[in-house]
Amino acid sequence: MLEKILLYLDGGETVKVLAPWALKLAKAFEARIFAVFVVNQATLKEQAQKTKQKIKNLHSNLEEEAWAILYEIEDDAFEENVKISLILEEGKPEERLLEVLKSFELDAMIVSSQAKLDFKELIDRCQGKTLIIK
Amino acid sequence: MQKISELLSPPAIILDLKANEKVEVIKELTSILIEQGYITNVDEFFSAILKRENIESTGIGLGVAIPHARTKAVKDIVLAFGRSRTGVNFSSLDGKPSHLVFLIAAPEEKKSEYIITLARLSKLLRNEEVRFRLTQAKTPDEVLKIITKHE
């Protein structure tokens, strides 16, 4: 039985592919989705070095994009009558995801196979929770 | 795309909300938008905004709530802001009461503007300095100046 499902979103493409599927799953189980976006500081630093842009500006743009992604799926959830909570975190994605999983006592986590994540770390540390890599 | 400060007007700002319960706060803020002529069908708007509250918590944490609805009952995108000294329970994930409440009403057909407005407002309100200044503002004009400066 799935009651609370973490859905990790890390960009536009994952929303298009993963979100509709996750909403279907949540609807089937009458589960609540916890949609999570993590602003990764390490990635921002890399981008700043590559693009010569200020981290502050990149951070601001990414945060706005993250909220837009979260509200986009919230709007879809509303249409589908699926309960949803939006969470924006900062830091190392694997750490934040595992923290959210634990603190809200979630049953499962859905991530894209394309996500830039250490899957071994997630599998090792998800403490018997269902991990769906799609 | 309009800025947050362009979607909020001084008459739509309540510095000391009378209500201290979620639904009553939403009604208090909505009543301003009705007076301003933005809401064409009050029942439909309430139904949409309360349905959304049931689907999700619009308390985004950090003492902030953003109740919102996109429905045919709204003429154009508009905001109302209310400040609660006591705080209101919007079932935020961090468990804290909301002191700063921004209500967003949008017409059905303006989905992308609505999403961007929600995103910009959420980003703005994660700024600790903005939240602090909004709690200290003494007039509606001051609220708008704070938003204009930081958006």
Side-chain angles (χ1 to χ4, degrees), chain A residues 103-119:
Chain A
S103 59
F104 294 104
E105 298 177 332
L106 309 187
D107 304 305
M109 170 159 48
I110 301 172
V111 299
S112 165
S113 60
Q114 305 300 312
K116 289 176 186 168
L117 290 168
D118 182 339
F119 290 106

Side-chain angles (χ1 to χ4, degrees), chain B residues 81-99:
Chain B
F81 167 62
R83 191 172 65 188
S84 167
R85 294 289 174 199
T86 54
V88 183
N89 181 6
F90 269 84
S91 305
S92 298
L93 287 176
D94 65 3
K96 293 178 181 166
S98 300
H99 295 272

Side-chain angles (χ1 to χ4, degrees), chain A residues 25-41:
Chain A
L25 186 72
K27 193 167 186 172
F29 281 94
E30 296 182 0
R32 173 179 285 273
I33 291 274
F34 287 70
V36 181
F37 192 106
V38 182
V39 174
N40 188 342
Q41 294 287 355

Side-chain angles (χ1 to χ4, degrees), chain A residues 49-100:
Chain A
Q49 282 176 344
K50 277 183 193 168
T51 62
K52 309 287 182 198
Q53 289 185 65
K54 287 182 179 173
I55 288 184
K56 190 182 169 188
N57 294 344
L58 288 170
H59 183 280
S60 175
N61 292 342
L62 182 59
E63 195 177 332
E64 187 171 314
E65 186 189 332
W67 279 117
I69 287 167
L70 289 169
Y71 280 115
E72 185 85 36
I73 184 174
E74 181 235 274
D75 207 55
D76 292 344
F78 178 70
E79 297 295 330
E80 295 290 332
N81 263 326
V82 172
K83 293 194 174 184
I84 188 164
S85 297
L86 309 182
I87 300 174
L88 183 67
E89 292 279 341
E90 295 212 12
K92 189 180 172 215
E94 294 84 355
E95 294 290 340
R96 297 287 88 80
L97 291 174
L98 291 163
E99 274 177 21
V100 170

Side-chain angles (χ1 to χ4, degrees), chain B residues 64-75:
Chain B
V64 176
I66 310 178
H68 51 279
R70 182 169 63 89
T71 155
K72 287 174 189 162
V74 179
K75 274 186 185 171

